[in-house]
Coordinates of all heavy atoms in Angstrom, one line a residue:
M1 N 0.9 -1.1 0.0 CA 0.0 0.0 0.0 C 0.9 1.2 0.0 O 1.8 1.3 0.8 CB -0.9 0.0 1.2 CG -1.7 1.2 1.3 SD -2.7 1.4 2.9 CE -3.4 -0.1 3.2
S2 N 0.6 2.2 -0.8 CA 1.4 3.4 -0.9 C 0.7 4.5 0.0 O -0.5 4.5 0.2 CB 1.6 3.9 -2.3 OG 0.3 4.2 -2.8
T3 N 1.6 5.4 0.4 CA 1.0 6.5 1.2 C 1.1 7.7 0.4 O 1.9 7.9 -0.5 CB 1.8 6.7 2.5 OG1 3.2 6.9 2.2 CG2 1.7 5.6 3.5
P4 N 0.1 8.7 0.5 CA 0.1 9.8 -0.3 C 1.3 10.8 0.0 O 1.8 10.8 1.1 CB -1.2 10.5 0.1 CG -1.5 10.0 1.5 CD -0.9 8.6 1.6
E5 N 1.7 11.5 -1.0 CA 2.7 12.5 -0.9 C 2.1 13.8 -0.4 O 1.1 14.2 -0.9 CB 3.4 12.7 -2.2 CG 4.6 13.6 -2.1 CD 5.2 13.8 -3.5 OE1 5.4 12.8 -4.2 OE2 5.6 14.9 -3.8
H6 N 2.7 14.4 0.6 CA 2.2 15.6 1.1 C 3.2 16.7 0.9 O 4.3 16.6 1.2 CB 1.8 15.5 2.6 CG 0.8 14.4 2.9 ND1 -0.5 14.5 2.5 CD2 1.0 13.2 3.4 CE1 -1.1 13.4 2.9 NE2 -0.3 12.6 3.4
R7 N 2.7 17.8 0.4 CA 3.6 19.0 0.1 C 3.6 19.8 1.3 O 2.6 20.0 2.0 CB 3.1 19.8 -1.1 CG 3.2 19.0 -2.3 CD 3.0 19.8 -3.5 NE 3.3 19.0 -4.7 CZ 2.4 18.8 -5.6 NH1 1.2 19.2 -5.5 NH2 2.7 18.0 -6.7
Q8 N 4.8 20.4 1.6 CA 4.9 21.4 2.7 C 4.2 22.7 2.4 O 4.2 23.1 1.2 CB 6.4 21.7 3.0 CG 7.1 20.5 3.5 CD 6.8 20.1 4.9 OE1 5.9 20.7 5.5 NE2 7.5 19.1 5.4
S9 N 3.6 23.4 3.3 CA 3.0 24.6 3.2 C 3.3 25.5 4.3 O 3.7 25.1 5.4 CB 1.5 24.4 3.1 OG 0.8 25.6 3.2
S10 N 3.3 26.8 4.0 CA 3.5 27.8 5.1 C 2.4 27.9 6.1 O 2.5 28.4 7.2 CB 3.9 29.1 4.5 OG 2.8 29.6 3.8
R11 N 1.2 27.4 5.7 CA 0.0 27.4 6.6 C 0.2 26.3 7.6 O 0.5 25.2 7.2 CB -1.2 27.2 5.8 CG -1.6 28.4 4.9 CD -3.0 28.3 4.3 NE -3.1 27.0 3.6 CZ -4.3 26.6 3.0 NH1 -5.3 27.3 3.2 NH2 -4.3 25.5 2.4
P12 N -0.1 26.6 8.9 CA -0.1 25.6 9.9 C -1.3 24.6 9.7 O -2.3 24.9 9.1 CB -0.2 26.3 11.2 CG -0.9 27.6 10.8 CD -0.5 27.9 9.4
L13 N -1.1 23.4 10.1 CA -2.1 22.4 10.1 C -3.2 22.7 11.1 O -2.9 23.2 12.2 CB -1.6 21.0 10.4 CG -0.5 20.5 9.4 CD1 0.0 19.1 9.8 CD2 -0.9 20.5 8.0
A14 N -4.4 22.4 10.8 CA -5.5 22.6 11.8 C -5.4 21.6 12.9 O -5.0 20.4 12.6 CB -6.8 22.5 11.1
V15 N -5.7 22.0 14.1 CA -5.6 21.1 15.2 C -7.1 20.8 15.7 O -7.8 21.8 16.0 CB -4.8 21.6 16.4 CG1 -4.8 20.7 17.6 CG2 -3.4 21.9 15.9
I16 N -7.5 19.6 15.8 CA -8.8 19.3 16.4 C -8.6 18.3 17.5 O -7.6 17.5 17.5 CB -9.8 18.7 15.3 CG1 -9.2 17.4 14.7 CG2 -10.1 19.7 14.2 CD1 -10.2 16.7 13.8
A17 N -9.4 18.5 18.5 CA -9.2 17.7 19.8 C -10.5 17.1 20.3 O -11.1 17.5 21.2 CB -8.6 18.6 20.9
P18 N -10.9 16.0 19.6 CA -12.1 15.3 20.0 C -12.0 14.7 21.4 O -10.9 14.3 21.7 CB -12.4 14.3 18.9 CG -11.0 14.0 18.3 CD -10.2 15.3 18.5
R19 N -13.1 14.6 22.0 CA -13.1 14.0 23.4 C -14.2 12.9 23.5 O -15.2 13.1 22.9 CB -13.4 15.1 24.5 CG -12.4 16.2 24.5 CD -11.1 15.8 25.1 NE -10.1 16.9 25.2 CZ -9.0 16.9 24.5 NH1 -8.7 15.9 23.7 NH2 -8.1 17.8 24.6
G20 N -13.9 11.9 24.2 CA -14.9 10.9 24.5 C -14.8 9.6 23.7 O -13.7 9.2 23.2
E21 N -15.9 9.0 23.4 CA -16.0 7.7 22.8 C -16.4 8.0 21.3 O -17.3 8.8 21.0 CB -17.1 6.8 23.4 CG -16.7 6.5 24.9 CD -17.6 5.6 25.5 OE1 -18.7 5.2 24.9 OE2 -17.3 5.2 26.7
F22 N -15.9 7.2 20.4 CA -16.1 7.3 19.0 C -16.5 6.0 18.3 O -15.7 5.0 18.4 CB -15.0 8.0 18.2 CG -14.9 9.4 18.6 CD1 -14.0 9.8 19.7 CD2 -15.7 10.4 18.0 CE1 -14.0 11.1 20.1 CE2 -15.6 11.7 18.4 CZ -14.8 12.1 19.5
D23 N -17.7 5.9 17.8 CA -18.2 4.7 17.1 C -19.1 5.2 16.0 O -19.1 6.4 15.7 CB -18.9 3.8 18.1 CG -20.1 4.4 18.7 OD1 -20.6 5.4 18.2 OD2 -20.6 3.8 19.8
L24 N -19.7 4.3 15.3 CA -20.5 4.6 14.1 C -21.5 5.8 14.4 O -21.7 6.7 13.6 CB -21.3 3.4 13.7 CG -22.3 3.6 12.5 CD1 -21.5 4.0 11.3 CD2 -23.1 2.3 12.2
D25 N -22.2 5.8 15.6 CA -23.2 6.8 15.9 C -22.6 8.1 16.2 O -23.2 9.1 16.0 CB -24.1 6.3 17.1 CG -24.9 5.1 16.7 OD1 -25.2 4.9 15.5 OD2 -25.2 4.2 17.6
S26 N -21.4 8.2 16.8 CA -20.8 9.5 17.2 C -19.8 10.1 16.2 O -19.2 11.1 16.5 CB -20.2 9.3 18.6 OG -19.2 8.3 18.5
L27 N -19.6 9.4 15.1 CA -18.6 9.9 14.1 C -19.0 11.1 13.2 O -18.1 11.9 12.9 CB -18.2 8.7 13.1 CG -17.1 7.8 13.7 CD1 -16.7 6.8 12.6 CD2 -15.8 8.5 14.1
P28 N -20.3 11.2 12.9 CA -20.6 12.3 12.0 C -20.1 13.7 12.4 O -19.6 14.5 11.6 CB -22.1 12.3 11.8 CG -22.4 10.8 12.0 CD -21.4 10.3 13.1
P29 N -20.2 14.1 13.7 CA -19.7 15.4 14.0 C -18.2 15.5 13.9 O -17.7 16.6 13.4 CB -20.1 15.6 15.5 CG -21.3 14.7 15.7 CD -21.0 13.5 14.8
L30 N -17.4 14.5 14.2 CA -16.0 14.5 14.0 C -15.7 14.5 12.5 O -14.8 15.2 12.1 CB -15.4 13.2 14.6 CG -13.9 13.1 14.4 CD1 -13.1 14.3 15.0 CD2 -13.4 11.8 15.1
E31 N -16.4 13.8 11.6 CA -16.2 13.9 10.2 C -16.4 15.3 9.7 O -15.6 15.8 8.9 CB -17.1 12.9 9.5 CG -16.8 11.5 9.6 CD -17.8 10.5 9.0 OE1 -19.0 10.7 9.2 OE2 -17.3 9.6 8.3
A32 N -17.4 16.0 10.2 CA -17.7 17.3 9.8 C -16.6 18.3 10.3 O -16.2 19.2 9.6 CB -19.0 17.8 10.4
Q33 N -16.1 18.1 11.5 CA -15.0 18.8 12.0 C -13.7 18.7 11.1 O -13.1 19.7 10.8 CB -14.7 18.4 13.4 CG -13.9 19.4 14.2 CD -13.7 19.0 15.7 OE1 -14.1 17.9 16.1 NE2 -13.2 19.9 16.5
I34 N -13.5 17.5 10.7 CA -12.3 17.3 9.8 C -12.5 18.0 8.5 O -11.6 18.6 8.0 CB -12.1 15.7 9.6 CG1 -11.5 15.1 10.9 CG2 -11.1 15.5 8.5 CD1 -11.5 13.6 10.9
E35 N -13.7 17.9 7.9 CA -14.0 18.5 6.6 C -13.8 20.1 6.8 O -13.2 20.7 5.9 CB -15.4 18.2 6.2 CG -15.6 16.8 5.7 CD -14.6 16.4 4.6 OE1 -14.4 17.2 3.6 OE2 -14.1 15.3 4.6
T36 N -14.3 20.6 7.8 CA -14.2 22.1 8.1 C -12.7 22.5 8.2 O -12.3 23.4 7.6 CB -14.9 22.5 9.3 OG1 -16.3 22.2 9.1 CG2 -14.8 24.0 9.6
A37 N -12.0 21.6 8.9 CA -10.5 21.9 9.1 C -9.8 21.9 7.7 O -8.9 22.7 7.5 CB -9.9 20.9 10.1
L38 N -10.1 20.9 6.9 CA -9.5 20.7 5.6 C -9.8 21.9 4.6 O -9.1 22.1 3.7 CB -9.8 19.4 5.0 CG -9.1 18.2 5.7 CD1 -9.5 16.9 5.1 CD2 -7.6 18.4 5.8
A39 N -11.0 22.5 4.8 CA -11.4 23.6 4.0 C -10.4 24.8 4.2 O -10.3 25.6 3.3 CB -12.8 24.0 4.2
N40 N -9.8 24.9 5.3 CA -9.0 26.0 5.7 C -7.5 25.7 5.9 O -6.7 26.5 6.4 CB -9.5 26.7 6.9 CG -11.0 27.2 6.7 OD1 -11.3 27.8 5.7 ND2 -11.9 26.7 7.6
S41 N -7.1 24.5 5.7 CA -5.8 24.0 6.0 C -5.3 23.0 5.1 O -6.1 22.3 4.4 CB -5.8 23.5 7.5 OG -4.5 23.1 7.9
T42 N -4.0 22.7 5.1 CA -3.4 21.7 4.2 C -3.4 20.3 4.9 O -2.9 19.3 4.3 CB -2.0 22.1 3.8 OG1 -1.2 22.2 5.0 CG2 -2.0 23.4 3.1
G43 N -3.8 20.2 6.1 CA -3.9 18.9 6.8 C -4.5 19.1 8.2 O -4.9 20.2 8.5
V44 N -4.4 18.0 8.9 CA -5.1 18.0 10.3 C -4.2 17.3 11.3 O -3.6 16.2 11.0 CB -6.4 17.2 10.2 CG1 -7.0 17.1 11.5 CG2 -7.4 17.9 9.2
I45 N -4.1 17.9 12.4 CA -3.5 17.3 13.6 C -4.6 16.9 14.5 O -5.4 17.7 14.9 CB -2.5 18.2 14.3 CG1 -1.3 18.6 13.4 CG2 -2.1 17.6 15.7 CD1 -0.4 19.6 14.0
L46 N -4.7 15.6 14.8 CA -5.8 15.1 15.6 C -5.2 14.9 17.0 O -4.3 14.0 17.3 CB -6.3 13.7 15.2 CG -7.3 13.0 16.0 CD1 -8.7 13.7 15.9 CD2 -7.4 11.6 15.7
D47 N -5.5 15.8 18.0 CA -5.1 15.6 19.4 C -5.9 14.5 19.9 O -7.1 14.7 20.3 CB -5.3 17.0 20.1 CG -4.9 16.9 21.6 OD1 -4.7 15.8 22.1 OD2 -4.9 17.9 22.2
A48 N -5.3 13.4 20.1 CA -6.1 12.2 20.5 C -6.0 11.9 22.0 O -6.4 10.8 22.4 CB -5.6 11.0 19.7
S49 N -5.6 12.8 22.8 CA -5.4 12.6 24.2 C -6.7 12.4 24.9 O -6.7 11.8 26.0 CB -4.6 13.8 24.8 OG -5.3 15.0 24.6
G50 N -7.8 12.9 24.4 CA -9.0 12.8 25.1 C -10.0 11.7 24.6 O -11.1 11.6 24.9
I51 N -9.5 10.8 23.7 CA -10.3 9.8 23.2 C -10.3 8.6 24.1 O -9.2 8.0 24.4 CB -9.8 9.4 21.8 CG1 -10.0 10.5 20.8 CG2 -10.6 8.1 21.3 CD1 -9.4 10.4 19.5
T52 N -11.4 8.2 24.6 CA -11.5 7.1 25.6 C -12.0 5.8 25.0 O -11.8 4.8 25.7 CB -12.5 7.5 26.7 OG1 -13.8 7.8 26.2 CG2 -12.0 8.7 27.5
F53 N -12.5 5.8 23.8 CA -12.9 4.6 23.2 C -13.0 4.9 21.7 O -13.4 6.0 21.3 CB -14.3 4.1 23.6 CG -14.8 2.9 22.8 CD1 -14.4 1.7 23.1 CD2 -15.7 3.2 21.7 CE1 -14.9 0.6 22.3 CE2 -16.2 2.1 21.0 CZ -15.7 0.8 21.3
A54 N -12.5 4.0 20.8 CA -12.6 4.1 19.4 C -12.8 2.7 18.8 O -12.1 1.8 19.2 CB -11.4 4.8 18.9
D55 N -13.7 2.6 17.8 CA -14.0 1.3 17.2 C -13.4 1.3 15.8 O -12.7 2.2 15.3 CB -15.5 0.9 17.3 CG -16.3 1.8 16.3 OD1 -15.8 2.7 15.7 OD2 -17.5 1.5 16.3
S56 N -13.8 0.3 15.0 CA -13.2 0.1 13.7 C -13.7 1.2 12.8 O -13.0 1.6 11.8 CB -13.6 -1.3 13.1 OG -15.0 -1.4 13.1
M57 N -14.9 1.8 13.0 CA -15.4 2.9 12.1 C -14.5 4.1 12.3 O -14.3 4.9 11.4 CB -16.9 3.1 12.4 CG -17.8 2.0 12.0 SD -17.5 1.5 10.2 CE -18.2 2.9 9.4
F58 N -14.1 4.3 13.6 CA -13.2 5.5 13.8 C -11.9 5.2 13.1 O -11.3 6.1 12.5 CB -13.0 5.6 15.4 CG -12.0 6.7 15.7 CD1 -12.4 8.0 15.8 CD2 -10.7 6.3 16.0 CE1 -11.5 9.0 16.1 CE2 -9.8 7.3 16.3 CZ -10.2 8.6 16.4
L59 N -11.4 4.0 13.2 CA -10.1 3.6 12.5 C -10.3 3.9 11.0 O -9.4 4.4 10.4 CB -9.7 2.2 12.9 CG -8.4 1.8 12.3 CD1 -7.3 2.6 12.9 CD2 -8.2 0.3 12.7
R60 N -11.4 3.5 10.4 CA -11.7 3.7 9.0 C -11.6 5.2 8.7 O -11.0 5.5 7.7 CB -13.1 3.1 8.6 CG -13.4 3.4 7.2 CD -14.9 3.4 6.9 NE -15.6 4.4 7.7 CZ -15.7 5.7 7.4 NH1 -15.1 6.2 6.4 NH2 -16.4 6.5 8.2
L61 N -12.1 6.0 9.5 CA -12.1 7.5 9.3 C -10.7 8.0 9.3 O -10.3 8.8 8.5 CB -12.9 8.2 10.4 CG -12.9 9.7 10.3 CD1 -13.4 10.3 9.0 CD2 -13.6 10.3 11.5
L62 N -9.8 7.5 10.3 CA -8.5 7.9 10.3 C -7.7 7.5 9.1 O -7.0 8.3 8.5 CB -7.8 7.3 11.5 CG -8.1 7.8 12.9 CD1 -7.2 7.1 14.0 CD2 -8.0 9.3 13.0
I63 N -7.9 6.3 8.6 CA -7.2 5.8 7.4 C -7.6 6.5 6.2 O -6.8 6.9 5.4 CB -7.3 4.3 7.3 CG1 -6.6 3.6 8.5 CG2 -6.8 3.8 5.9 CD1 -6.9 2.1 8.6
A64 N -8.9 6.8 6.1 CA -9.4 7.5 4.9 C -8.9 9.0 4.9 O -8.5 9.5 3.9 CB -11.0 7.5 4.9
T65 N -8.8 9.6 6.1 CA -8.3 10.9 6.2 C -6.8 10.9 5.9 O -6.3 11.8 5.2 CB -8.5 11.5 7.6 OG1 -9.9 11.5 7.9 CG2 -8.0 12.9 7.7
H66 N -6.1 9.9 6.3 CA -4.6 9.8 6.0 C -4.4 9.7 4.5 O -3.5 10.3 4.0 CB -4.1 8.5 6.7 CG -2.8 8.0 6.2 ND1 -1.6 8.6 6.6 CD2 -2.4 7.0 5.4 CE1 -0.6 8.0 6.0 NE2 -1.1 7.0 5.3
H67 N -5.3 9.0 3.8 CA -5.1 8.9 2.4 C -5.5 10.2 1.6 O -5.0 10.4 0.5 CB -5.9 7.7 1.8 CG -5.3 6.4 2.1 ND1 -4.1 5.9 1.5 CD2 -5.7 5.4 3.0 CE1 -3.8 4.8 2.0 NE2 -4.7 4.4 2.9
R68 N -6.3 11.0 2.2 CA -6.7 12.2 1.6 C -5.8 13.4 1.8 O -5.7 14.3 1.0 CB -8.1 12.6 2.1 CG -9.2 11.9 1.6 CD -10.5 12.4 2.2 NE -10.7 13.8 1.9 CZ -11.4 14.6 2.7 NH1 -12.0 14.2 3.8 NH2 -11.5 15.9 2.4
T69 N -5.2 13.4 3.0 CA -4.5 14.6 3.4 C -3.3 14.3 4.3 O -3.1 13.1 4.7 CB -5.4 15.6 4.0 OG1 -4.8 16.9 4.2 CG2 -5.9 15.1 5.4
N70 N -2.7 15.3 4.8 CA -1.6 15.2 5.8 C -2.2 15.1 7.2 O -2.5 16.1 7.8 CB -0.7 16.4 5.7 CG 0.5 16.3 6.6 OD1 0.7 15.4 7.3 ND2 1.3 17.4 6.6
L71 N -2.4 13.8 7.6 CA -3.0 13.6 9.0 C -1.9 13.3 9.9 O -1.0 12.4 9.6 CB -4.0 12.4 8.9 CG -4.4 11.9 10.3 CD1 -5.3 13.0 11.0 CD2 -5.2 10.6 10.2
R72 N -1.9 13.9 11.1 CA -0.9 13.6 12.1 C -1.7 13.4 13.4 O -2.6 14.2 13.8 CB 0.1 14.8 12.3 CG 0.9 15.1 11.0 CD 1.8 16.3 11.2 NE 2.4 16.7 9.9 CZ 3.2 17.7 9.8 NH1 3.5 18.4 10.8 NH2 3.7 17.9 8.6
I73 N -1.4 12.3 14.1 CA -2.1 12.0 15.3 C -1.1 12.4 16.4 O 0.0 11.9 16.5 CB -2.4 10.5 15.4 CG1 -3.4 10.2 14.2 CG2 -3.1 10.2 16.7 CD1 -3.6 8.7 14.0
A74 N -1.6 13.2 17.4 CA -0.8 13.7 18.5 C -1.3 13.3 19.8 O -2.5 13.1 20.0 CB -0.7 15.2 18.4
A75 N -0.4 13.0 20.7 CA -0.7 12.7 22.1 C -1.7 11.6 22.3 O -2.7 11.8 23.0 CB -1.1 14.0 22.9
P76 N -1.6 10.5 21.6 CA -2.7 9.5 21.7 C -2.8 9.0 23.1 O -1.8 8.7 23.8 CB -2.2 8.4 20.8 CG -0.7 8.5 20.7 CD -0.5 10.0 20.9
S77 N -4.1 8.8 23.5 CA -4.4 8.2 24.8 C -4.0 6.7 24.7 O -3.6 6.2 23.7 CB -5.9 8.3 25.0 OG -6.6 7.5 24.1
E78 N -4.0 6.1 25.9 CA -3.6 4.7 26.0 C -4.5 3.8 25.1 O -4.1 2.9 24.4 CB -3.7 4.2 27.4 CG -2.5 3.4 27.9 CD -2.7 3.0 29.3 OE1 -2.2 3.8 30.1 OE2 -3.2 1.9 29.6
T79 N -5.8 4.2 25.1 CA -6.8 3.5 24.3 C -6.4 3.6 22.8 O -6.4 2.6 22.1 CB -8.2 4.1 24.5 OG1 -8.5 3.9 25.9 CG2 -9.2 3.5 23.6
M80 N -6.1 4.8 22.3 CA -5.7 5.0 21.0 C -4.4 4.3 20.6 O -4.3 3.7 19.5 CB -5.5 6.5 20.7 CG -6.8 7.2 20.4 SD -7.6 6.8 18.9 CE -6.3 7.1 17.7
E81 N -3.4 4.3 21.5 CA -2.1 3.7 21.2 C -2.4 2.2 21.0 O -1.9 1.5 20.1 CB -1.2 3.9 22.3 CG -0.5 5.3 22.3 CD 0.5 5.5 23.4 OE1 0.4 4.8 24.4 OE2 1.4 6.3 23.2
R82 N -3.2 1.6 21.9 CA -3.5 0.2 21.8 C -4.2 -0.2 20.5 O -3.9 -1.1 19.9 CB -4.3 -0.2 23.0 CG -4.5 -1.7 23.2 CD -5.1 -2.1 24.6 NE -6.1 -1.3 25.1 CZ -6.0 -0.4 26.1 NH1 -4.8 -0.3 26.7 NH2 -6.9 0.4 26.5
L83 N -5.2 0.6 20.1 CA -6.0 0.4 18.9 C -5.0 0.4 17.7 O -5.0 -0.5 16.9 CB -7.1 1.4 18.7 CG -7.9 1.3 17.4 CD1 -8.6 0.0 17.2 CD2 -8.8 2.5 17.2
L84 N -4.2 1.4 17.6 CA -3.3 1.6 16.5 C -2.3 0.4 16.4 O -2.0 0.0 15.3 CB -2.6 2.9 16.5 CG -3.5 4.2 16.4 CD1 -2.7 5.4 16.5 CD2 -4.3 4.2 15.1
A85 N -1.8 0.0 17.6 CA -0.8 -1.1 17.6 C -1.4 -2.4 17.3 O -0.9 -3.2 16.5 CB -0.2 -1.1 19.0
V86 N -2.6 -2.7 17.8 CA -3.2 -4.0 17.5 C -3.5 -4.2 16.0 O -3.3 -5.3 15.6 CB -4.6 -4.1 18.3 CG1 -5.5 -5.2 17.9 CG2 -4.3 -4.3 19.8
V87 N -3.9 -3.2 15.3 CA -4.2 -3.4 13.9 C -3.0 -3.0 13.0 O -3.1 -3.2 11.8 CB -5.5 -2.6 13.5 CG1 -6.7 -3.0 14.3 CG2 -5.2 -1.1 13.6
G88 N -1.9 -2.6 13.6 CA -0.7 -2.3 12.8 C -0.8 -0.9 12.2 O 0.1 -0.6 11.4
A89 N -1.7 -0.1 12.5 CA -1.9 1.2 11.9 C -0.8 2.2 12.4 O -0.4 3.1 11.6 CB -3.2 1.8 12.2
D90 N -0.1 1.9 13.5 CA 0.9 2.7 14.0 C 2.2 2.6 13.0 O 3.1 3.4 13.1 CB 1.3 2.4 15.4 CG 1.7 0.9 15.6 OD1 1.4 0.1 14.7 OD2 2.2 0.6 16.7
A91 N 2.2 1.6 12.2 CA 3.3 1.4 11.2 C 3.3 2.4 10.1 O 4.3 2.7 9.4 CB 3.3 0.0 10.7
F92 N 2.0 3.0 9.7 CA 1.9 3.9 8.6 C 1.3 5.2 8.9 O 1.5 6.2 8.2 CB 1.2 3.2 7.4 CG -0.2 2.8 7.7 CD1 -1.2 3.7 7.5 CD2 -0.5 1.5 8.2 CE1 -2.6 3.3 7.7 CE2 -1.8 1.1 8.4 CZ -2.8 2.0 8.2
L93 N 0.5 5.3 10.0 CA 0.0 6.6 10.4 C 1.1 7.4 11.1 O 2.0 6.8 11.8 CB -1.2 6.4 11.3 CG -2.4 5.8 10.7 CD1 -3.5 5.6 11.8 CD2 -3.0 6.7 9.6
R94 N 1.1 8.7 11.0 CA 2.1 9.6 11.6 C 1.6 9.9 13.0 O 0.6 10.6 13.2 CB 2.2 10.8 10.8 CG 2.9 10.6 9.5 CD 3.0 12.0 8.8 NE 3.6 11.8 7.5 CZ 2.9 11.9 6.4 NH1 1.6 12.2 6.4 NH2 3.5 11.7 5.2
V95 N 2.3 9.3 14.0 CA 1.9 9.5 15.4 C 3.0 10.2 16.2 O 4.2 9.8 16.0 CB 1.6 8.1 16.1 CG1 1.2 8.3 17.5 CG2 0.6 7.3 15.3
Y96 N 2.7 11.2 16.9 CA 3.6 12.1 17.6 C 3.2 12.1 19.1 O 2.0 12.1 19.5 CB 3.6 13.5 17.1 CG 4.0 13.5 15.6 CD1 3.1 13.3 14.6 CD2 5.4 13.7 15.2 CE1 3.4 13.4 13.3 CE2 5.7 13.7 13.9 CZ 4.8 13.6 12.9 OH 5.1 13.6 11.6
P97 N 4.2 12.3 20.0 CA 3.9 12.3 21.4 C 3.2 13.6 21.9 O 2.4 13.6 22.9 CB 5.3 12.2 22.1 CG 6.3 12.3 21.1 CD 5.6 12.3 19.7
T98 N 3.3 14.7 21.2 CA 2.7 16.0 21.6 C 2.1 16.7 20.3 O 2.6 16.4 19.2 CB 3.6 16.9 22.3 OG1 4.6 17.4 21.4 CG2 4.3 16.2 23.5
V99 N 1.2 17.6 20.6 CA 0.7 18.4 19.5 C 1.8 19.3 18.9 O 2.0 19.4 17.7 CB -0.5 19.3 19.9 CG1 -0.9 20.3 18.9 CG2 -1.7 18.4 20.3
D100 N 2.7 19.9 19.8 CA 3.8 20.7 19.3 C 4.7 19.9 18.4 O 5.1 20.5 17.3 CB 4.6 21.2 20.5 CG 3.8 22.4 21.2 OD1 2.9 23.0 20.6 OD2 4.2 22.6 22.4
E101 N 5.0 18.7 18.7 CA 5.9 17.9 17.9 C 5.2 17.6 16.5 O 5.9 17.6 15.5 CB 6.3 16.6 18.6 CG 7.4 16.9 19.7 CD 7.8 15.6 20.3 OE1 8.3 14.7 19.6 OE2 7.7 15.5 21.6
A102 N 4.0 17.4 16.6 CA 3.2 17.1 15.3 C 3.2 18.4 14.4 O 3.4 18.3 13.2 CB 1.8 16.6 15.6
Q103 N 3.0 19.5 15.1 CA 3.0 20.8 14.3 C 4.3 21.1 13.7 O 4.4 21.6 12.6 CB 2.5 21.9 15.2 CG 2.2 23.2 14.5 CD 0.9 23.2 13.7 OE1 -0.1 22.9 14.2 NE2 1.0 23.4 12.4
N104 N 5.4 20.8 14.4 CA 6.7 21.2 14.0 C 7.5 20.2 13.2 O 8.6 20.4 12.8 CB 7.6 21.5 15.3 CG 7.0 22.8 16.0 OD1 6.6 23.7 15.3 ND2 7.0 22.8 17.3
S105 N 6.9 19.1 12.9 CA 7.7 18.0 12.2 C 7.6 18.3 10.7 O 6.8 19.0 10.2 CB 7.1 16.6 12.5 OG 5.8 16.5 11.9

């Protein structure tokens, strides 16, 4: 599987910080937030520190966003780290320990 090429821009990436549990029923507002961010930015930093639960539909959203744009996941909660590791997504998604590191990389 190839990963998309992302061009550098002088505009900073949008930062979104969803909180709580994410599954099929709770994803539409997050999808809308990502779309809004992408309308004004060249990519998205997802501050994942407040995510307490995420299912396969959330993972699908992350992967689809990764293929569309410059997605960086910052400060993942233990739950997020576990999910990404179990499915091997941590091997291809860009994950950073802090929002600052994601913004400055």
Side-chain angles (χ1 to χ4, degrees):
M1 177 188 313
S2 65
T3 56
E5 182 179 321
H6 300 289
R7 295 193 173 115
Q8 295 288 5
S9 170
S10 60
R11 291 190 302 174
L13 301 180
V15 177
I16 59 175
R19 301 282 180 249
E21 298 183 355
F22 291 92
D23 59 19
L24 178 63
D25 295 329
S26 59
L27 277 182
L30 178 57
E31 288 175 314
Q33 195 174 12
I34 290 170
E35 290 302 319
T36 299
L38 290 177
N40 301 308
S41 182
T42 58
V44 175
I45 295 173
L46 177 75
D47 176 351
S49 61
I51 296 174
T52 57
F53 172 81
D55 71 359
S56 61
M57 293 305 292
F58 176 82
L59 185 60
R60 179 206 55 81
L61 175 62
L62 289 184
I63 293 169
T65 303
H66 166 75
H67 284 290
R68 285 182 54 208
T69 191
N70 184 359
L71 171 66
R72 300 177 189 178
I73 300 169
S77 64
E78 226 175 272
T79 298
M80 278 292 303
E81 284 182 337
R82 192 170 35 255
L83 173 65
L84 297 176
V86 164
V87 300
D90 58 345
F92 62 89
L93 292 175
R94 294 181 181 104
V95 182
Y96 299 87
T98 68
V99 171
D100 285 340
E101 287 183 57
Q103 189 73 57
N104 294 322
S105 71

